[in-house]
Amino acid sequence: MNNCADGQKLSSTEEASIRQSIQADDKIRKIDEIIQQKVRGGFNGNVLIAQKGVVLYQKCFGFGHFEKSCRDSLIPDSKFQLASLSKTFTAVGVLKLIEAKKLSLEDTIQKFYPDFPYHGITIRDLLSHRSGLPNYAYAFDDSMKVNFYKKEKPYPTNATIMHWFATVQPTPKPYNVPGRNFSYSNTNYMVLASIVEKATGQPFETFIRKNIFEPLGMRNTFVATTQNDSINRYRTAGYQWNRRIPKDYYDDVVGDKGVYSTISDLFRWYRALNGDCVLTRKTLAEAFIPRSFEKKGAKNYGYGFRMQLNDLNEPEFIYHTGWWKGYNTMFWFSPKDEYVIIMLGNKYNKSVYRVKELVDVLHGSPHGVNEEDGEVEL
């Protein structure tokens, strides 16, 4: 490649820099085409895509609230309910307590909740969704809830649900025996958040804020139970089937969901998960080990993280999705190609979970990806 102005040949370093710039521009153009297609298909939300530490794409589409009286355009600081993506914070919080010797992977639930009616379940089982516990949102019929909550607050908390399991008759049947197979259940992470409170003597929100959000500079991230009016600034509402979803019966139950965050704060989270500033590399590696092989397939689960495996059963992609009351979320990264895809939506739209085209662009060629359909609601 020649410099036509002075006739001098560019150095190899200069040529490489120009090639990289052209490639980056081409990636950005292709990414924008893919995202714009999602927007035309109904996506309303924020997107951040970065590779090798550089933000390639960051844009906001649509509104935080759709009502005429409070309609506001989304901005980078808009806060979205992460739904099941919240589980990644719960898992890392538990692993931090294990590093501090306040918890052990082999601790059972009864160490902290002696009256819990399901025995033989360890923290390891809870982290990897191998406990066999029934989903708390489906375990109790409406008549049970009415009778149980006659004198209770209208919205149950983690403590209420734990007490509920311990006292309601008959005890809801477990889905399976502990350790037998993978069975995704939000109860696992509700229980883990409850154990964190017992082990630390702090509300779950306080522990996560002081040990993860604040040290990482995630200033726009909070748990739904946080008592601070400042969290409502730029907080979005969730919409589904063209209507706003009101506060849900289970919104104050956390650990399995309940974290609100922004695309920029989640980029901080990604960088923390690829360094050693939140956990030691050895401990963090444990979270990314696949732990369910009773069924053949590329998809697997570690401690709080989903993954897709290569032919050697190693995680090629690490991710988590979320779906809760109008919110759709995707947090997807590639350790090998060093990129992260963050999409946060507040108007139900499954295109958030379809990342194959984006992966192909960031990888530089077509790549095998099993598309996600997202989480089942609680």
Side-chain angles (χ1 to χ4, degrees):
M1 187 180 294
N2 291 322
N3 187 324
C4 297
D6 56 19
Q8 292 183 356
K9 194 173 182 179
L10 293 173
S11 69
S12 58
T13 301
E14 290 172 322
E15 287 189 353
S17 177
I18 291 173
R19 281 196 299 271
Q20 289 175 356
S21 177
I22 292 172
Q23 290 170 354
D25 289 344
D26 188 50
K27 279 186 178 181
I28 294 168
R29 177 184 60 78
K30 291 178 179 177
I31 289 169
D32 189 58
E33 290 175 355
I34 294 167
I35 299 299
Q36 292 292 346
Q37 185 177 14
K38 292 180 184 294
V39 172
R40 289 192 294 272
F43 171 68
N44 186 96
N46 290 357
V47 181
L48 187 151
I49 298 172
Q51 189 162 26
K52 297 187 183 300
V54 177
V55 175
L56 298 176
Y57 189 88
Q58 178 176 323
K59 287 190 178 181
C60 310
F61 303 94
F63 303 100
H65 301 82
F66 284 82
E67 294 80 5
K68 288 183 179 179
S69 61
C70 57
R71 180 171 292 186
D72 55 337
S73 297
L74 291 170
I75 61 173
D77 284 341
S78 293
K79 302 168 185 176
F80 296 76
Q81 156 76 270
L82 300 185
S84 285
L85 173 50
S86 305
K87 290 180 174 70
T88 63
F89 295 100
T90 306
V92 170
V94 169
L95 291 173
K96 285 183 76 69
L97 290 175
I98 289 171
E99 278 191 344
K101 309 297 185 185
K102 292 185 178 181
L103 292 177
S104 165
L105 287 169
E106 305 309 319
D107 285 341
T108 64
I109 300 173
Q110 281 70 30
K111 180 175 179 179
F112 307 95
Y113 290 88
D115 296 331
F116 197 72
Y118 308 95
H119 293 263
I121 298 170
T122 65
I123 287 177
R124 184 191 304 277
D125 296 324
L126 296 169
L127 284 168
S128 55
H129 288 291
R130 302 183 68 84
S131 70
L133 286 172
N135 193 320
Y136 66 82
Y138 303 141
F140 309 98
D141 63 30
D142 290 340
S143 62
M144 287 181 181
K145 286 188 276 192
V146 169
N147 291 331
F148 197 83
Y149 284 114
K150 282 189 295 187
K151 297 181 180 179
E152 298 284 344
K153 295 178 181 179
Y155 299 104
T157 64
N158 287 48
T160 318
I161 299 295
M162 294 300 288
H163 178 60
W164 197 357
F165 271 119
T167 57
V168 73
Q169 293 295 327
T171 300
K173 291 182 178 180
Y175 291 166
N176 215 324
V177 299
R180 177 168 291 178
N181 61 17
F182 171 83
S183 180
Y184 188 89
S185 173
N186 290 287
T187 303
N188 294 315
Y189 277 72
M190 179 278 297
V191 173
L192 284 170
S194 304
I195 288 174
V196 167
E197 293 188 335
K198 287 286 188 176
T200 64
Q202 303 175 36
F204 177 73
E205 176 276 327
T206 302
F207 174 79
I208 292 296
R209 174 168 47 83
K210 289 184 176 180
N211 290 275
I212 295 180
F213 301 159
E214 289 180 356
L216 296 181
M218 299 176 68
R219 296 182 179 85
N220 289 313
T221 303
F222 63 93
V223 179
T225 52
T226 299
Q227 300 297 313
N228 188 329
D229 289 341
S230 66
I231 65 175
N232 292 314
R233 191 182 187 199
Y234 307 132
R235 181 175 179 172
T236 61
Y239 295 81
Q240 192 158 338
W241 316 131
N242 294 318
R243 68 181 182 89
R244 182 171 177 169
I245 307 298
K247 181 178 174 70
D248 185 81
Y249 185 71
Y250 289 115
D251 269 355
D252 290 344
V253 180
V254 296
D256 56 324
K257 55 177 170 33
V259 173
Y260 281 75
S261 192
T262 67
I263 50 174
S264 297
D265 272 8
L266 286 179
F267 185 41
R268 288 178 178 271
W269 184 227
Y270 161 74
R271 288 185 292 180
L273 293 172
N274 286 270
D276 54 6
C277 53
V278 64
L279 291 169
T280 65
R281 289 184 181 271
K282 181 180 178 181
T283 302
L284 192 56
E286 289 288 311
F288 303 148
I289 293 175
R291 300 182 183 278
S292 298
F293 288 100
E294 58 274 359
K295 291 184 180 180
K296 292 184 179 180
K299 297 180 182 180
N300 215 293
Y301 206 94
Y303 291 157
F305 293 87
R306 294 182 180 271
M307 57 198 71
Q308 292 195 12
L309 310 182
N310 60 22
D311 293 338
L312 300 175
N313 285 328
E314 299 167 337
E316 187 162 9
F317 306 112
I318 299 170
Y319 67 103
H320 216 298
T321 55
W323 175 17
W324 178 245
K325 304 303 175 185
Y327 286 97
N328 302 113
T329 61
M330 171 61 84
F331 179 76
W332 177 289
F333 66 92
S334 167
K336 179 182 177 181
D337 291 322
E338 298 181 55
Y339 62 74
V340 62
I341 299 168
I342 301 167
M343 288 190 284
L344 305 179
N346 66 319
K347 184 180 180 184
Y348 174 70
N349 187 277
K350 282 192 175 183
S351 71
V352 170
Y353 308 125
R354 301 185 185 117
V355 297
K356 185 181 186 307
E357 289 182 293
L358 292 169
V359 169
D360 290 345
V361 171
L362 294 164
H363 182 70
S365 63
H367 207 66
V369 174
N370 285 299
E371 294 280 27
E372 288 295 304
D373 290 326
E375 306 288 355
V376 176
E377 268 190 278
L378 281 180

